Amino acid sequence: MNDYLDLNDDALVRYPNPSIGVVVPTLMNPFFPKMLSGIAETARIQGYYTEVFNAAQDGGDWTNLAARFAQGRQQGLILAAPKVTEKIVRLIAETEPMPYVLTDQADDVPGALRVAVDDTTGGGLVVDHLVGLGHQRFAIVCPPQLPFNMAARYRGYLDALGRHGIPRNAVTYVSAPLTREAGQAAAARIVKLPGITAIITINDDLAIGVLKGLHELGKRIPHDYSVVGYDNTDLSNYVTPELTTVNQPVMDLGHAVADCLLAKIERREPEVPATLPVELVVRASSGRAKLA
């Protein structure tokens, strides 16, 4: 049996154990199943099932979630979905008040308990690495509206670029949604921009798409461009060339956020960790800047 269960599955009525709910934006991104495994592992040890609500599946229709609240199935919620956090917090207040904890993907809620990864430092590590390789002109690929954690990464990029004296006109922002297909399309735009030698993407899916797009355009990585992602998803080690990226302690994040929620449920004082550390994983997709 899976460690976590789909909240939309009516078969869940068979499980009488207390449960916690987790709201995620998607299960297609490999980050979230891995985080869910960490949550479920901690919850199971303490006698709770983990029920998953996939926000993408219901397209913003929260009636199903509200019905589950009304059944009193969940003792608490972990919110990991951007754009819907405020709606769900309001729904909790209107239906079945319960403890909740945010991960760093969720929108900001004043006074709410949040467990987060040190993404600002992670963004800085990316820039430090590339500047150390001699890169001076950059493309940053990300969507125009960033969730809490990705906004922290972006701040980390900009802070580090400023620290290294890289002027703003040496950095081009390339707008793209968080998909591999969008990364592939972004590559076609980047190759038309003069002077860029380093491409930073806000997550690994975008980076994998960029690699594919550059390959199809006959570009060599890292000879023509260095590409650095973020998340260290499983695929990052299987693309060619292997992707330089930032590793997040995703399982640890799952353990920590579950511990905090269960403490709130059981009326204990949560031990909220400081931001969880990240590390740069250097692989073959980054190299020294090509001389002009």
Side-chain angles (χ1 to χ4, degrees):
M1 186 176 69
N2 290 335
D3 285 340
Y4 55 87
L5 306 165
D6 187 345
L7 186 57
N8 299 302
D9 184 356
D10 289 336
L12 286 173
V13 296
R14 297 196 304 267
Y15 298 101
N17 296 55
S19 67
I20 60 174
V22 186
V23 182
V24 296
T26 179
L27 291 173
M28 297 299 292
N29 185 323
F31 175 94
F32 292 102
K34 193 170 184 178
M35 182 187 72
L36 286 167
S37 293
I39 292 170
E41 186 174 78
T42 294
R44 185 181 65 248
I45 290 170
Q46 299 189 44
Y48 290 78
Y49 280 106
T50 301
E51 303 183 21
V52 180
F53 183 83
N54 181 358
Q57 182 172 327
D58 280 58
D61 178 4
W62 307 114
T63 54
N64 186 33
L65 186 59
R68 297 293 184 185
F69 289 169
Q71 294 173 13
R73 298 180 57 82
Q74 293 83 40
Q75 277 64 53
L77 272 183
I78 293 170
L79 303 180
K83 299 182 181 179
V84 299
T85 309
E86 185 178 342
K87 293 179 182 177
I88 297 174
V89 169
R90 188 164 58 247
L91 181 62
I92 291 171
E94 292 172 353
T95 55
E96 186 71 25
M98 66 178 70
Y100 63 89
V101 178
L102 311 181
T103 70
D104 56 1
Q105 291 81 22
D107 301 321
D108 197 24
V109 176
L113 182 63
R114 182 188 295 273
V115 179
V117 170
D118 190 0
D119 284 302
T120 303
T121 293
L125 291 174
V126 171
V127 171
D128 291 346
H129 171 64
L130 290 169
V131 172
L133 291 171
H135 295 278
Q136 293 292 306
R137 294 189 67 87
F138 303 83
I140 299 177
V141 186
C142 63
Q145 292 186 315
L146 296 172
F148 186 92
N149 59 329
M150 291 185 179
R153 292 174 204 175
Y154 193 79
R155 287 195 303 273
Y157 300 148
L158 297 185
D159 289 349
L161 288 165
R163 188 173 69 249
H164 287 289
I166 305 295
R168 287 296 180 94
N169 62 6
V171 182
T172 300
Y173 164 75
V174 180
S175 178
L178 299 169
T179 66
R180 295 170 201 164
E181 293 79 10
Q184 185 177 357
R189 294 154 59 191
I190 291 169
V191 297
K192 298 176 182 178
L193 302 173
I196 289 174
T197 60
I199 303 171
I200 298 169
T201 69
I202 205 81
N203 74 356
D204 282 353
D205 271 358
L206 278 170
I208 290 167
V210 166
L211 289 176
K212 179 176 174 60
L214 292 175
H215 175 74
E216 290 178 345
L217 293 166
K219 303 301 180 182
R220 295 172 294 169
I221 310 300
H223 181 268
D224 295 317
Y225 295 94
S226 285
V227 179
V228 180
Y230 203 107
D231 285 336
N232 196 28
T233 55
D234 291 341
L235 277 178
S236 65
N237 201 31
Y238 288 91
V239 293
T240 302
E242 294 179 1
L243 180 65
T244 295
T245 184
V246 175
N247 182 63
Q248 298 192 72
V250 182
M251 287 289 287
D252 290 345
L253 175 64
H255 294 317
V257 72
D259 276 333
C260 287
L261 179 62
L262 293 171
K264 291 186 72 173
I265 290 170
E266 296 169 3
R267 302 183 185 278
R268 296 181 280 109
E269 185 66 28
E271 295 183 10
V272 185
T275 51
L276 299 172
V278 297
E279 62 177 342
L280 183 72
V281 181
V282 178
R283 298 193 181 107
S285 70
S286 58
R288 296 207 63 82
K290 182 172 64 173
L291 296 177

